Every structure is written in structure tokens, then in C-alpha cells.
Amino acid sequence: MANFIVADDESIASRIRSVLSFHEPNAPKADVLPSALAVGRLAREGGAGVVVVALPADPAAALDLLARVAPAAGGRLLALGPTSDARFVLQALRAGVRDYLDKGDLEVELAAALKRLAEPKDAASLGRVVAVLGASGGAGASTIAANLAVALATDHRSAGLVDLKLETGDLAALLDLKPTFSLSDLCRNAATFDRVMLERTLARHESGVALLAAPARIADVTLVRAEGVARAIDLARAAFPYVIVDVDHTYREEQLAALRQADVLLLPLRQDFNSLRNAHRALEHLGRMGLAGERARLVVNRAGQAVEVPRAKVEEALGMKVAHSIPEDPRAVARANDNGVPVVLEAPASRAGRSLLQLARSLETSRPGDAPAERRGARAGWRPWRRVAAGRGAH
């Protein structure tokens, strides 16, 4: 199929045609269409290869042009314009643009977009989704999620990070990021947003982490729906080798959508009675829904405090082994969190930093089923922490 360029500026059209000719040497020479005639010509063609639109300077005119061209472009519409107005870029993507390109770097941006269009979709190359679910507050789940994402991004050049703590999300602060958009912006168009819209919504960290932030306003939380979360994670795992999701313990439908897609489910807890009780309740609930199984791993956080339930008692109460323990290291972790620099970057040689790096490496080397977990504690009505509680004062 023929490629088309929609442009009223001949010099811009010539530059676009040169890039298309270089990257698709066997394709017919791209036709240049004035914006006033583009819709009619594309409709008569009945199909097109790539359609590149050089947007007019007026935002209203640009969006009107995209809305008219998109239905005839067959899902391969590329828009070329300024990127200084992030909200305009998002509006353009919502109008049906496959990719939005920076006019100031035309050749590089268009070449990269053409490469993305040509990439085959290989299910085997999808990234792994790691859900981090603290059974109750104070387990340090968000700190663990942020550090795992940074550690994995450092090793793999990129990693996705999704903040599903919709009302209280801390991941942006933990990474010292100020996102322009959030998950709620994507979910406004849950049925139509694509990978390009996702990428434009992400906040980028220097480590290579790309954060899909929680809504900035409580009022926008209601916009986040299960189908939008599922689609965002699907697209993220196609873009990143690892996607870390910080899941809330509300077990609402949008949270369950993430848990259903997880390849690994990390369950952080502390070695105290309340955390142990809540972890048991969480495992019992997840087990009833078929969301635990062999992919679930216990991660003890802040281990080694003076008064705590012994590890053997934790394992007995929950009916599964502790997969990893992160030692108590309040000075290093608190300083890192306060500075908005994850401890694996701020203090990688600290006890917590080394342990979190080891946990990240374990996600790279293991697969679900490597260490089958025993589920003696999943029986309905069994309350093993009562025995733990009876002896906890001695520890």
C-alpha cells in the first residue's frame, strides 16, 4: 500500500519523503496531499500504508485535521508537531494518532516511529509482571516496588512501574518525579488507548524506570477502571522487560485486574502479630479467588528488630516459606525515601540496599514453580497465629 504525506509546507513534506524513502526503499514514492484534499483522497484509496501528517500551528485546526484524517488512515497515522504542550499531545493521541513525533527532531523521530511500526509482535518477548501487595499498611510495599523497578531498570535499561495505590500513591515522591499525566488520564479512553498513548503518559526516571502514576486528585480515582488497568499492563509488558505494580490491599476490581496478570506476587510483611494476621487473611482471600498459588512469595521487611515473631513461627503460621528477608536499616531507607532517591541508588552497599538488589536478581533468575510453596495455612477457618500470639511475649 502507498504511503501518504499530509502537509501544506513543501519543505517539511520533502524531508518526510526522504526519511520514508530511506527506510522503505521498496515502497512506492509517497504522495503529498494538501490538508484540504487529504480526507477525500485517503477515502478513495480505501487503504494506506503510513500516513504522516505535518500539523498546522493552530491547535484547534490541528485537532480538527486529525479527527478527519484518522478514520481513513487505517491505524498507521503519524502526527508531526511541537511537543511543548503535553496536553495537546495527549489530545492528538486520543484523536487516533498512532505516534506523535517532535517536529524539532523530524528525521530521528520519524525513523524511530517507522521502526516501531515494523516491529513484529512476539508473545514470547513479553515482559514479566511483578505485583507487590502489602497485606496492610506499614509493610513497606511501595518502597520495595520502587527499588525493585530501579534495580531491574539498571540491569535491563528500562522497567515499567505502575502505582495502583490510587488514593495514597507514593511512587512519584519516592522517585522525585512530578508526573504530568496519570492512570486516570489513560482510563478516560480505556477502550482506545494504545502503546503510544501509554508512553506519552509515563513519567521517566533517570534510571530507566517509566512510572504510570496514581491520580493526582482524589476526584479522579473513580475514573480508573479494571479494563483500563488491564490494558495498561498489557501494553507495558510489551514495552518493558519487567513491570512492577504496587497493588493496594482493597481488592477492588482494578486491583484484581493487576493481580490476575502477575507472573510473580510478592507479599511483603513485617514480623509482628498484626502483619502476620493480615498476611494470613490476604493469602486466604487470594487463595479462594485462585490468585495465589506457586507464584506467591513472602518477603519479610525490616527483619532483625529486637521484638518480632521468629521466622520459623511466621512460616508455620502462613504455611509457606519466606522467600526473602530485607533487614532493618532505618537510617539508610529513611534518608533515601526523604531524598526521593531509592536506596539501591542512594546507598547500594547498605544492608537494605544489598538485600533489595538480591531480591531483584532473584526475579531475573527464577520462574514460577521453581520453589513450590506449601499451603497448609490456606485452610478456611485455621488461625495459626493464635499459637504464635500465645508465645509472642517471649520474643
Side-chain angles (χ1 to χ4, degrees), residues 163-170 214-218 221-222 248 250 252 254-255:
D163 196 341
L164 278 186
K165 302 281 183 65
L166 302 180
E167 290 86 359
T168 60
D170 290 328
R217 302 189 311 156
I218 296 293
V221 168
T222 56
D248 204 354
T250 60
R252 294 188 304 238
E254 79 278 356
Q255 308 296 327

Side-chain angles (χ1 to χ4, degrees), residues 60-125:
L63 292 174
D64 177 68
L65 175 61
L66 291 176
R68 290 186 291 112
V69 169
R76 293 168 66 85
L77 176 61
L78 307 179
L80 183 69
T83 57
S84 54
D85 185 345
R87 190 159 293 278
F88 171 77
V89 173
L90 189 59
Q91 288 174 326
L93 293 168
R94 287 173 177 164
V97 172
R98 178 70 178 269
D99 209 339
Y100 190 99
L101 315 178
D102 184 359
K103 183 179 180 180
D105 201 7
L106 187 159
E107 283 77 12
V108 172
E109 288 265 300
L110 181 53
L114 293 172
K115 182 179 178 182
R116 286 193 290 270
L117 283 175
E119 287 176 349
K121 295 182 178 179
D122 180 6
S125 67

Side-chain angles (χ1 to χ4, degrees), residues 108-194:
V108 172
E109 288 265 300
L110 181 53
L114 293 172
K115 182 179 178 182
R116 286 193 290 270
L117 283 175
E119 287 176 349
K121 295 182 178 179
D122 180 6
S125 67
L126 294 178
R128 298 186 78 196
V129 177
V130 180
V132 184
L133 170 62
S136 58
S142 295
T143 295
I144 291 171
N147 278 275
L148 288 180
V150 168
L152 291 167
T154 301
D155 285 347
H156 298 272
R157 295 190 295 180
S158 67
L161 180 60
V162 181
D163 196 341
L164 278 186
K165 302 281 183 65
L166 302 180
E167 290 86 359
T168 60
D170 290 328
L171 294 181
L174 291 172
L175 295 172
D176 195 24
L177 293 174
K178 295 178 175 59
T180 303
F181 302 112
S182 74
L183 182 57
S184 60
D185 293 301
L186 280 182
C187 286
R188 293 176 193 271
N189 295 274
T192 59
F193 73 80
D194 59 12

Side-chain angles (χ1 to χ4, degrees), residues 279-339:
H280 185 275
R281 293 174 64 205
L283 283 169
E284 193 173 58
H285 187 58
L286 292 168
R288 282 200 301 267
M289 293 186 292
L291 295 176
E294 294 180 357
R295 63 183 181 159
R297 305 180 191 177
L298 294 179
V299 177
V300 168
N301 195 19
R302 303 188 64 179
Q305 297 187 64
V307 178
E308 64 181 19
V309 177
R311 176 167 172 162
K313 293 279 189 181
V314 170
E315 293 176 339
E316 178 188 358
L318 298 181
M320 60 189 296
K321 297 292 185 182
V322 171
H324 190 81
S325 290
I326 302 169
E328 168 78 334
D329 196 354
R331 181 176 298 179
V333 173
R335 183 173 61 244
N337 288 350
D338 289 345
N339 292 337

